[in-house]
Amino acid sequence: MTILHLRRARTSLVLDARGPGLPRVVHWGGDVGDLDDDGLRQLVDATVPPVVPSSFDEPPVLSLLPEASAGWSGRPGLAGHRDGRDWSTSFRLDGLDVRDDGPGAALLTVRASDPAAGLTLTSEIMLDPHGLLTVRHRLRNDGDTAYELRELTPVLPVPAVATELLDLTGRWCRERSPQRHRWQQGAWVREGRHGRTGHDATLLLVAGTAGFGFGHGEVWGVHTAWSGDHVTFAERRPTGESTLGGGELLTPGEIRLGPGESYESPLLYAVWSDTGLDGLSDVLHTHLRARPGHPRSPRPVTLNVWEAVYFDHDLDRLRALADRAAQIGVERFVLDDGWFRGRRDDTAGLGDWYVDEGVWPDGLQPLIDHVTGQGLQFGLWVEPEMVNPDSDLFRAHPDWLLAVPGRLPPSWRNQQVLDLGRPEAYDHVRDRLHALLTEHPGISYLKWDQNRDLTEAGHHGHPGVHGQTLAVYRLFDELRSLHPDLEIESCSSGGARVDLAILARTDRVWASDCNDALERLSIQRWTGLLLPPELIGTHIGPERSHTTNRVHDLGFRAATALFGHHGIEWDIASISTDEQTELAAWVALHKRLRPLLHAGRVVRVDHPDPAVWAHGVIDHDGTRAVYAVARLATSPTPYPGPVRLPGLDPDRRYRVRPASGVPAPVSIDRSAPGRLAGGVVLSGAALARMGVQLPALHPEQSLVLEVDAVD
């Protein structure tokens, strides 16, 4: 056939399709230049590994779907069988199509078949105008009998210069914890078996050159866009090949393709940068912001009343909260858990999506009217995928559970999972939500929660996670079609369902149930590796965190929540007048900076003192920026050294000053930011290379800096 070279935004993908089998992946990463046919041929030939003693007579071929028949002895791209047969494939190339797909994107379709195994493979590879690569496989069973699929996973090569791996793990209230180590021989495999993305899911699995950081180093990252069981892996073979890949993690017997049936793998997102982790984020953020369905209106400052009232719903108290919210500058009011029948605590009521007449004798409309009458949007909490055994729905339909016949899965938060793969269960949930939204047109936002893993998830006696995940996607899509102006937040015990497949159907994620500002600094920093700030819910919690019991002043909490989809999770009706005034000032600051925060380029600072974290957002035209510098703990020295402010135009001069309108933190010498108060003017080059000496903040204090070009 030919040699294919896709190029976009300094990124290249080179495929050698000259052989009869699947194309060999020659290169994915930095742009290799504008090469003619002869140049491409020489480049490809120069990368063919030599034949070494005691090995294959021909070098193994690493394709997008590695096969043992091509000499590949690493992790296979396809695993499956037909009653013990057709377990190994040898696909032959049937055709290639390259075409433009939207503004600036290139789409390559590879068609191949293995008549002996009775299988047809279609691979779609897109390189978007920002340099983001996506890969997906589709497998069709052309045989006369069923084919059991175990794995269908895209794989991409990474060069040997990538010697370190970074991924994320976590737990409830401590999502997105980074872990990093040398990349040695063998496989580093991250499997999620939660039936949802999981608190411990790695948003990106990153391979990079030694010592890479936020602003330096060459890095390659992959993300598996799937909200059910999934796998993401890095493998380094003793023969020298290094690969990254990811796909759905299938339970035995979960996918049995009948004659003529097909399976499509989740999208694997792949991104490369030679400017460190911030370069990866820049590509991903730009891609997400270019989506047709990306939120376009200003992200409303949100008050969620959970930590204010919990299950104690009282109309007068909630009206008072709405009044105070409007005074402070809040734009959306969200009524959380506890509004529906029998829901006085978390042991009962899930599944009974009817307004509780005992608590709301006149329904929700009086509160909705009061909230919207104040000029606020109204939102509501739901958890449609779950059911309490103590509920009318469970008592009427105990067979509607996602479970193995004859027993219940272990209880989790007193709830079980509804099997949405059952048409009657799916229709019931869809119809109740549709009725709720139709009867209350003032509801413009749903906080959609999902508070447990899918454990022993059976559907009619067979594994059910795959079908449940697709049913949930369909439910989101159908409700959005019925109510096109509805916005939805993905909340799942906090941040347990954060991935690009769920975000194709929702407008933001709740990053964590933890509103402790110190914990949130890390959670938000690493969630931002994948997502831009406007997709991450960041709220100001109470002075004493209800998840850690740690106490923080308002300035630290507010500065942490500033950089995201801003909100409040606090009983603001009971706070002092001074706190009201300061909170309103922080809300006003966020609104003033919101056009920059929700459209600019995110940077994170590689500071040598681990007790000092800094990050910022820079306007794409280089005229403005905002940074926050946080002191996490004490340091060996009283002053941590100048803090660099990267990402600005090196040839322009900028004035750096503390953010106006909000109180400045107090430093160790009890002074305000001192010489910075009137602003310091330096070039972008000086700010990036030398930085500015900031006040020595007390631990758990933050300073917000506004930066404006002066010429």
Side-chain angles (χ1 to χ4, degrees):
M1 289 270 184
T2 185
I3 299 172
L4 296 166
H5 182 200
L6 304 184
R7 299 175 69 203
R8 295 293 188 276
R10 301 177 58 246
T11 298
S12 283
L13 176 71
V14 180
L15 297 169
D16 182 4
R18 294 177 296 178
L22 293 173
R24 179 171 77 94
V25 184
V26 177
H27 171 77
W28 160 54
D31 189 9
V32 295
D34 186 9
L35 300 174
D36 58 17
D37 290 344
D38 183 62
L40 280 172
R41 181 187 58 77
Q42 293 193 53
L43 181 146
V44 170
D45 291 345
T47 64
V48 175
V51 175
V52 297
S54 190
S55 184
F56 296 107
D57 293 333
E58 295 289 337
V61 173
L62 173 58
S63 69
L64 291 166
L65 192 79
E67 299 176 284
S69 60
W72 183 252
S73 57
R75 188 184 181 103
L78 170 64
H81 67 96
R82 197 188 307 273
D83 295 326
R85 299 176 293 106
D86 301 330
W87 52 270
S88 182
T89 58
S90 181
F91 284 105
R92 289 297 175 260
L93 188 60
D94 293 331
L96 296 167
D97 293 314
V98 182
R99 62 179 175 86
D100 291 335
D101 192 87
L107 176 64
L108 167 64
T109 302
V110 180
R111 299 183 306 278
S113 60
D114 183 348
L119 298 171
T120 294
L121 177 72
T122 303
S123 300
E124 291 183 346
I125 304 100
M126 180 182 289
L127 188 60
D128 85 352
H130 319 295
L132 179 69
L133 185 69
T134 55
V135 185
R136 167 179 280 161
H137 296 314
R138 185 179 300 108
L139 187 73
R140 188 181 71 213
N141 177 17
D142 295 330
D144 297 329
T145 59
Y147 180 84
E148 181 176 335
L149 180 66
R150 293 299 309 274
E151 184 170 353
L152 185 66
T153 306
V155 176
L156 289 165
V158 176
V161 294
T163 58
E164 294 183 6
L165 292 175
L166 168 73
D167 62 352
L168 307 175
T169 184
R171 57 171 174 81
W172 179 68
C173 282
R174 204 178 191 277
E175 295 89 339
R176 260 74 71 195
S177 298
Q179 52 187 13
R180 184 168 177 159
H181 56 87
R182 286 184 59 204
W183 192 1
Q184 298 177 306
Q185 290 184 11
W188 178 255
V189 181
R190 295 297 310 281
E191 293 184 344
R193 300 179 184 272
H194 303 287
R196 54 180 175 172
T197 319
H199 293 99
D200 60 338
T202 178
L203 296 190
L204 281 180
L205 174 56
V206 178
T209 52
F212 69 84
F214 287 114
H216 64 277
E218 192 174 7
V219 285
W220 294 257
V222 294
H223 168 80
T224 304
W226 182 247
S227 309
D229 292 346
H230 63 282
V231 60
T232 310
F233 60 85
E235 184 174 28
R236 175 153 280 167
R237 303 290 302 147
T239 47
E241 303 94 342
S242 301
T243 54
L244 297 175
E248 186 178 6
L249 184 63
L250 295 170
T251 302
E254 189 160 23
I255 299 295
R256 289 178 60 84
L257 299 177
E261 292 183 341
S262 298
Y263 167 87
E264 187 173 75
S265 72
L267 279 174
L268 181 72
Y269 285 75
V271 59
W272 165 87
S273 165
D274 61 356
T275 56
L277 296 171
D278 284 351
L280 296 185
S281 296
D282 196 31
V283 173
L284 288 158
H285 295 180
T286 304
H287 166 80
L288 290 168
R289 287 168 170 166
R291 299 173 301 160
H294 191 76
R296 302 297 174 196
S297 60
R299 301 292 77 212
V301 176
T302 298
L303 172 71
N304 185 290
V305 303
W306 175 244
E307 293 191 33
V309 303
Y310 296 101
F311 290 104
D312 184 15
H313 286 196
D314 175 81
L315 179 57
D316 290 338
R317 184 179 180 188
L318 290 165
R319 282 172 170 163
L321 276 169
D323 293 342
R324 181 60 52 79
Q327 294 167 4
I328 287 171
V330 167
E331 298 160 307
R332 175 183 284 157
F333 179 100
V334 179
L335 181 65
D336 211 285
D337 193 359
W339 58 268
F340 47 96
R341 284 181 186 168
R343 190 65 166 179
R344 304 281 53 82
D345 54 36
D346 68 356
T347 65
L350 278 181
D352 297 339
W353 302 111
Y354 299 86
V355 179
D356 192 319
E357 300 88 343
V359 178
W360 299 94
D362 298 316
L364 290 178
Q365 203 59 46
L367 178 62
I368 295 173
D369 290 344
H370 186 83
V371 168
T372 56
Q374 295 285 340
L376 279 65
Q377 299 175 28
F378 185 87
L380 194 67
W381 180 95
V382 293
E383 192 174 3
E385 301 157 61
M386 302 295 164
V387 63
N388 286 131
D390 185 1
S391 67
D392 293 340
L393 181 66
F394 182 89
R395 285 184 283 271
H397 301 286
D399 56 324
W400 282 11
L401 296 188
L402 200 63
V404 170
R407 64 174 179 265
L408 290 179
S411 181
W412 181 312
R413 205 170 181 258
N414 307 294
Q415 63 193 54
Q416 296 289 341
V417 184
L418 283 173
D419 183 359
L420 296 181
R422 289 176 175 263
E424 60 273 28
Y426 177 93
D427 290 347
H428 172 81
V429 172
R430 179 204 56 208
D431 292 347
R432 283 310 312 145
L433 293 175
H434 176 49
L436 181 69
L437 294 168
T438 302
E439 294 162 6
H440 303 88
I443 300 173
S444 59
Y445 177 85
L446 291 180
K447 179 181 178 180
W448 188 303
D449 214 337
Q450 187 236 29
N451 272 312
R452 67 156 295 163
D453 284 0
L454 277 58
T455 308
E456 208 177 26
H459 169 74
H460 292 302
H462 300 285
V465 170
H466 175 82
Q468 180 80 357
T469 306
L470 293 179
V472 169
Y473 290 164
R474 188 168 71 254
L475 183 57
F476 276 108
D477 294 343
E478 194 167 353
L479 280 173
R480 295 294 289 265
S481 176
L482 291 168
H483 303 275
D485 295 328
L486 178 70
E487 291 196 6
I488 302 177
E489 173 185 71
S490 172
C491 177
S492 183
S493 309
R497 191 155 66 183
V498 177
D499 61 79
L500 294 186
I502 205 69
L503 270 161
R505 297 160 170 89
T506 56
D507 299 279
R508 78 170 204 171
V509 300
W510 185 229
S512 178
D513 281 342
C514 181
N515 282 316
D516 179 317
L518 186 63
E519 300 291 336
R520 269 290 187 138
L521 275 173
S522 178
I523 292 167
Q524 292 168 195
R525 166 175 282 215
W526 293 104
T527 304
L529 189 63
L530 180 70
L531 304 182
E534 65 269 24
L535 296 182
I536 306 171
T538 58
H539 290 191
I540 300 171
E543 181 181 33
R544 183 178 295 275
S545 168
H546 85 147
T547 57
T548 66
N549 210 38
R550 190 183 279 130
V551 174
H552 290 126
D553 65 29
L554 178 53
F556 185 59
R557 285 140 54 208
T560 301
L562 185 71
F563 291 78
H565 186 169
H566 191 54
I568 302 166
E569 198 116 355
W570 186 16
D571 184 4
I572 56 174
S574 64
I575 63 178
S576 69
T577 301
D578 288 345
E579 287 175 313
Q580 292 176 43
T581 301
E582 183 178 350
L583 180 58
W586 281 103
V587 169
L589 176 65
H590 173 81
K591 289 181 177 180
R592 179 165 62 80
L593 295 174
R594 182 165 54 189
L596 168 61
L597 292 170
H598 292 176
R601 181 166 48 89
V602 173
V603 295
R604 287 149 294 205
V605 179
D606 295 301
H607 194 276
D609 186 345
V612 176
W613 278 18
H615 59 96
V617 180
I618 304 166
D619 207 331
H620 288 282
D621 64 7
T623 57
R624 335 172 40 210
V626 57
Y627 295 85
V629 181
R631 189 74 174 264
L632 277 63
T634 60
S635 301
T637 59
Y639 288 88
V643 176
R644 294 178 173 182
L645 304 180
L648 300 166
D649 184 338
D651 299 322
R652 301 181 77 168
R653 296 168 66 244
Y654 294 90
R655 176 172 284 106
V656 181
R657 68 188 192 284
S660 61
V662 295
V666 178
S667 61
I668 289 175
D669 62 4
R670 310 303 298 171
S671 69
R675 64 186 181 282
L676 284 179
V680 173
V681 177
L682 291 169
S683 70
L687 289 169
R689 296 187 180 279
M690 296 176 57
V692 289
Q693 182 68 66
L694 301 178
L697 301 176
H698 283 292
E700 300 172 23
Q701 296 281 313
S702 288
L703 176 64
V704 178
L705 300 171
E706 294 189 69
V707 179
D708 295 281
V710 296
D711 55 2

